[in-house]
Amino acid sequence: MSRLWERLMRLAEIGARPDGGVDRQALTAGEIEAWRLMLGWAAEAGLEAATDDAGNLFLTLPGRDRSLPPGLIGSHLDTQPNGGKFDGAFGVLAALEVVSHLGFTPARDISVVAWCNEEGCRFAPGMTGSETFVGLRDLSTIRALRDGDGVVLGDALDALHAAFPTLPRLPLSREFAFCIEPHIEQATLLEEAQLPIGVVTGIQGKITYEVVLEGEEGHAGTRDMALRRDAVMAFARIAARMQREVGEADPVVKFTIGMVRVEPNAPSVIAGRLVFRIDLRHPDNAALLAHGARLEAIAAAEAAPCGVRMTRLVHAPSNSFDEGLRARIAASATRLGIGHMDLLSAAGHDARHMASRCPTAMIFIPCRGGVSHSPLEWAEPAHVAAGAAVLAETVKELCA
Amino acid sequence: MSRLWERLMRLAEIGARPDGGVDRQALTAGEIEAWRLMLGWAAEAGLEAATDDAGNLFLTLPGRDRSLPPGLIGSHLDTQPNGGKFDGAFGVLAALEVVSHLGFTPARDISVVAWCNEEGCRFAPGMTGSETFVGLRDLSTIRALRDGDGVVLGDALDALHAAFPTLPRLPLSREFAFCIEPHIEQATLLEEAQLPIGVVTGIQGKITYEVVLEGEEGHAGTRDMALRRDAVMAFARIAARMQREVGEADPVVKFTIGMVRVEPNAPSVIAGRLVFRIDLRHPDNAALLAHGARLEAIAAAEAAPCGVRMTRLVHAPSNSFDEGLRARIAASATRLGIGHMDLLSAAGHDARHMASRCPTAMIFIPCRGGVSHSPLEWAEPAHVAAGAAVLAETVKELCA
């Protein structure tokens, strides 16, 4: 499978950062270039390329009976601004490898998918492609999202489509026979167990909050401390207490404030406004909700004298993947003599949404130290090959 | 003095914000446009215009004996990104009003000055014009400063000079007979006393710190809480404790964190790096140093498991203005029948630096609610007129 590894490295050149990472955010010139590369490889393999109104890319190997709902395999091409070479890219390229070298005409169509804007770092919240595909969000809602520079997602999407004017536009919400997403684990369970394949049982639940603190601007040198409504100080109180009472209170919870925006963000001006995002995850839905309620109570208690507004942008309960499909993946790995284990995904994935539409599962491979969303993200070539081999074996059985 | 008011409003159109504020940061197209406006008014009044290598603007009314060191009056034209119509602009335009309508040829030259980059919001730390003029900073050091977009101050300065190719370039560190800076108070002492004129006794001391927290990036959904090195969480602990132990510990201290930059600042990525600025002020130099030492100890104690580097960018001890010049200003106000009081400036000003070079003083007028660095910044037309009148009376006496 050295061709797959070479393609991973080739794709990582698009948006390559000097530190070895990749910055190829959704709907940028980099993603357009990545599509161009994918379409070249798809043409070589005789695949039919298409897109849809949500900016998803489909590369389809025609099957014997084209009236059957196709199988769907793949992941996403976008990265975090400080992302790595494997998150998303591995799943798309492993799927491309499978359909490009299946060795026979499958019973049904098999589509490789690259979901649009999984990461959500530029246009938040992410997963706009898969969520719009399954009807969780409206096209008009996602098209109105703005990035940090004020660019509207709809305009960026139109620019993507304009770059490929001959690409057919398929309808949203099409039916699929199954969906399998290969991905790096982004945690250390496989590494600790020294196993190359994880059969994912489900995904932990997630709530994303946006919190807006409204203070009052003023001069840092003159405004009496007692009269201030300093949004940065309100943030410090809230974030420190959330960390103590939620982040450190439960060994399983994941609590992160990754995005903070201060206004006007000038060294000698008291901050008049601060916006931040909270990413809260837990495998147990009741615990997730309880921690969320605690976060809301802390923000309300500590914001004064600033005003506070807290909004749930995302609430994705934990979910379980299809047992039959999981058993097939495990059996494929066993047949190939590749070690595997069941595990829960701590990260969210587009497959979460397809699970409501058709039998869905995920195949994980280890990544070094569990590090992801980082230039240090790394997967061993042998594990990349093992993941693609298990996917190929499973797809062959499903579409013989 | 309605001409002065009209000019203040005309200048405020350059960089005007929809909310009534002004965004005319240093060395921007807006500041170039402001210079063009000033140069037109200077030409009407027969003033000689010149600049220097630090980007300061001088508009000089020739005196009877041109070999004498000139008098210097003025302030700055740049604003905060979310600034108002009066901070800086009042001082420059009041000075322009005085030299444009003095009524006689003064004994010595009188120069209006607009110091470059007082605010320091774009290129921090600020006061680059006056500090380079008096030799506190090297030209090469300030030219290497970068703004948030990576633009180098030297290039922005060259662009300013290139926009006015015929403007003579005067040497830095020239000698002046006196310096008077008129300014809005940016606090409420005058408002509370219901007096239109403040004779400034001195400026409180200031330390500006830059603090860099080095954490480790990681995936918000998967990274074990106990293994994280989260730069945002380190910031929250540090800032909350600094607020408790310094900001709330002393009725006179001013403690502000106005600027916070998170990297990569993405909602589902643990922050790998956070940079923030602390603005600390106190009228007593010993207390200022003691509070600074406490801040340094808190950062060192609370940063772990993140790394921390704390740098003093600015250390400006408190200073006293010239007693003789202060007495002349007070006497001028008394002669004009305008109420006045002595007060300490809580904010820093370029005059702080000139005080080491020649007899220096400041004239304050009230601003509503003490609000400054804000679109709500407001000075009454009657107070603007009073400030200019006291400046004119003082300059007439000094240069008769």
Side-chain angles (χ1 to χ4, degrees), chain B residues 76 96 98 109 144 152 181 197 214 227 286 306 320:
Chain B
H76 60 94
L96 180 67
V98 167
D109 288 7
V152 175
E181 181 170 2
I197 294 293
E214 296 285 357
L227 300 177
C306 292
S320 299

Side-chain angles (χ1 to χ4, degrees), chain B residues 253-343:
Chain B
V253 75
K254 303 286 184 294
F255 163 78
T256 310
I257 296 174
M259 200 211 74
V260 182
R261 258 196 343 257
V262 180
E263 296 172 22
N265 213 27
S268 60
V269 183
I270 299 161
R273 196 162 189 268
L274 187 149
V275 181
F276 68 102
R277 292 269 171 92
I278 302 171
D279 182 307
L280 179 73
R281 308 198 199 196
H282 203 285
D284 178 79
N285 280 321
L288 181 69
L289 289 171
H291 286 307
R294 187 84 207 107
L295 294 179
E296 293 176 32
I298 291 170
E302 296 287 347
C306 292
V308 62
R309 274 200 324 278
M310 191 156 169
T311 316
R312 271 191 202 178
L313 297 181
V314 175
H315 179 198
S318 61
N319 76 297
S320 299
F321 287 127
D322 184 77
E323 286 194 34
L325 197 52
R326 282 157 50 193
R328 279 178 192 266
I329 291 168
S332 296
T334 302
R335 275 202 301 282
L336 295 172
I338 298 174
H340 60 90
M341 66 185 280
D342 286 353
L343 45 67

Side-chain angles (χ1 to χ4, degrees), chain A residues 80 82 186-187 204 217-223 225 228 232-233 235-236 239-240 243 247 253-260 262 265-270 277 279 281 346-347 369 372-374, chain B residues 80 82 186-187 204 217-223 225 228 232-233 235-236 239-240 243 247 253-260 262 264-270 277 279 281 346-347 369 372-373:
Chain A
Q80 292 280 334
N82 200 9
Q186 306 178 286
Q204 69 180 344
E217 282 182 30
H219 191 295
T222 60
R223 186 85 178 143
M225 294 300 290
R228 295 185 179 198
V232 167
M233 287 304 120
F235 170 74
Q243 173 72 6
V253 75
K254 303 286 183 292
F255 163 78
T256 311
I257 297 174
M259 200 212 74
V260 182
V262 179
N265 212 28
S268 61
V269 183
I270 299 160
R277 293 268 172 93
D279 181 309
R281 309 198 197 194
S372 178
H373 292 184
S374 159
Chain B
Q80 292 279 334
N82 200 8
Q186 305 177 285
Q204 70 179 346
E217 283 181 29
H219 190 296
T222 61
R223 187 85 178 143
M225 295 299 291
R228 295 186 179 197
V232 167
M233 287 304 121
F235 170 74
Q243 173 72 7
V253 75
K254 303 286 184 294
F255 163 78
T256 310
I257 296 174
M259 200 211 74
V260 182
V262 180
N265 213 27
S268 60
V269 183
I270 299 161
R277 292 269 171 92
D279 182 307
R281 308 198 199 196
S372 178
H373 291 183

Side-chain angles (χ1 to χ4, degrees), chain A residues 238-327:
Chain A
I238 291 169
R241 187 165 163 200
M242 285 178 168
Q243 173 72 6
R244 282 195 310 275
E245 297 187 13
V246 174
E248 295 167 8
D250 174 334
V252 182
V253 75
K254 303 286 183 292
F255 163 78
T256 311
I257 297 174
M259 200 212 74
V260 182
R261 258 197 340 259
V262 179
E263 297 172 22
N265 212 28
S268 61
V269 183
I270 299 160
R273 196 161 188 270
L274 186 148
V275 180
F276 67 102
R277 293 268 172 93
I278 303 171
D279 181 309
L280 179 72
R281 309 198 197 194
H282 204 286
D284 178 78
N285 280 320
L288 181 70
L289 289 170
H291 286 308
R294 187 84 208 109
L295 294 179
E296 292 176 32
I298 291 170
E302 297 287 347
C306 292
V308 62
R309 272 199 326 278
M310 190 157 169
T311 315
R312 272 192 202 179
L313 297 181
V314 175
H315 179 199
S318 61
N319 76 296
S320 299
F321 286 127
D322 184 75
E323 285 194 34
L325 198 52
R326 282 157 50 194

Side-chain angles (χ1 to χ4, degrees), chain A residues 52-75:
Chain A
D52 62 22
D53 285 346
N56 301 309
L57 176 66
F58 298 94
L59 307 171
T60 300
L61 175 67
R64 298 194 298 273
D65 183 348
R66 305 214 62 186
S67 70
L68 293 175
L72 189 70
I73 55 179
S75 186

Side-chain angles (χ1 to χ4, degrees), chain A residues 11-340:
Chain A
L11 179 59
E13 291 169 13
I14 303 175
R17 299 164 43 106
D19 59 10
V22 179
D23 179 1
R24 190 175 58 238
Q25 295 182 64
L27 300 171
T28 55
E31 197 171 45
I32 290 174
E33 200 183 332
W35 274 38
R36 217 173 286 286
L37 186 65
M38 294 297 297
L39 289 170
W41 289 331
E44 283 174 26
L47 308 181
E48 296 173 354
T51 181
D52 62 22
D53 285 346
N56 301 309
L57 176 66
F58 298 94
L59 307 171
T60 300
L61 175 67
R64 298 194 298 273
D65 183 348
R66 305 214 62 186
S67 70
L68 293 175
L72 189 70
I73 55 179
S75 186
H76 60 93
L77 291 170
D78 65 313
T79 74
Q80 292 280 334
N82 200 9
K85 299 181 175 75
F86 302 92
D87 179 356
F90 161 64
V92 176
L93 291 180
L96 180 67
E97 184 68 21
V98 167
V99 296
S100 300
H101 303 278
L102 194 66
F104 62 91
T105 302
R108 59 179 74 244
D109 288 7
I110 308 173
S111 292
V112 175
V113 64
W115 297 110
C116 187
N117 184 33
E118 195 271 347
E119 297 289 359
C121 39
R122 181 180 173 199
F123 295 106
M127 301 208 196
T128 50
S130 58
E131 294 190 359
T132 308
F133 186 87
V134 303
L136 272 175
R137 281 199 269 179
D138 288 337
L139 197 58
S140 59
T141 311
I142 67 147
R143 286 185 62 92
L145 294 175
R146 281 178 192 274
D147 71 8
D149 297 326
V151 177
V152 176
L153 185 144
D155 292 343
L157 195 48
D158 292 344
L160 172 77
H161 283 139
F164 304 96
T166 61
L167 213 55
R169 199 81 69 93
L170 296 172
L172 295 169
S173 285
R174 283 171 302 128
E175 196 188 342
F176 287 97
F178 62 85
C179 171
I180 304 176
E181 180 170 3
H183 207 280
I184 55 169
E185 184 197 350
Q186 306 178 286
T188 55
L189 295 172
L190 290 173
E191 195 174 67
E192 284 159 20
Q194 296 192 289
L195 289 170
I197 294 294
V199 183
V200 183
T201 56
I203 295 182
Q204 69 180 344
K206 173 180 174 180
I207 299 177
T208 305
Y209 287 104
E210 180 165 275
V211 187
V212 180
L213 294 167
E214 296 285 358
E216 187 183 12
E217 282 182 30
H219 191 295
T222 60
R223 186 85 178 143
D224 193 322
M225 294 300 290
L227 301 176
R228 295 185 179 198
R229 294 169 54 217
D230 183 327
V232 167
M233 287 304 120
F235 170 74
R237 289 190 302 275
I238 291 169
R241 187 165 163 200
M242 285 178 168
Q243 173 72 6
R244 282 195 310 275
E245 297 187 13
V246 174
E248 295 167 8
D250 174 334
V252 182
V253 75
K254 303 286 183 292
F255 163 78
T256 311
I257 297 174
M259 200 212 74
V260 182
R261 258 197 340 259
V262 179
E263 297 172 22
N265 212 28
S268 61
V269 183
I270 299 160
R273 196 161 188 270
L274 186 148
V275 180
F276 67 102
R277 293 268 172 93
I278 303 171
D279 181 309
L280 179 72
R281 309 198 197 194
H282 204 286
D284 178 78
N285 280 320
L288 181 70
L289 289 170
H291 286 308
R294 187 84 208 109
L295 294 179
E296 292 176 32
I298 291 170
E302 297 287 347
C306 292
V308 62
R309 272 199 326 278
M310 190 157 169
T311 315
R312 272 192 202 179
L313 297 181
V314 175
H315 179 199
S318 61
N319 76 296
S320 299
F321 286 127
D322 184 75
E323 285 194 34
L325 198 52
R326 282 157 50 194
R328 280 178 190 266
I329 292 168
S332 296
T334 301
R335 273 201 303 281
L336 296 171
I338 298 175
H340 59 90

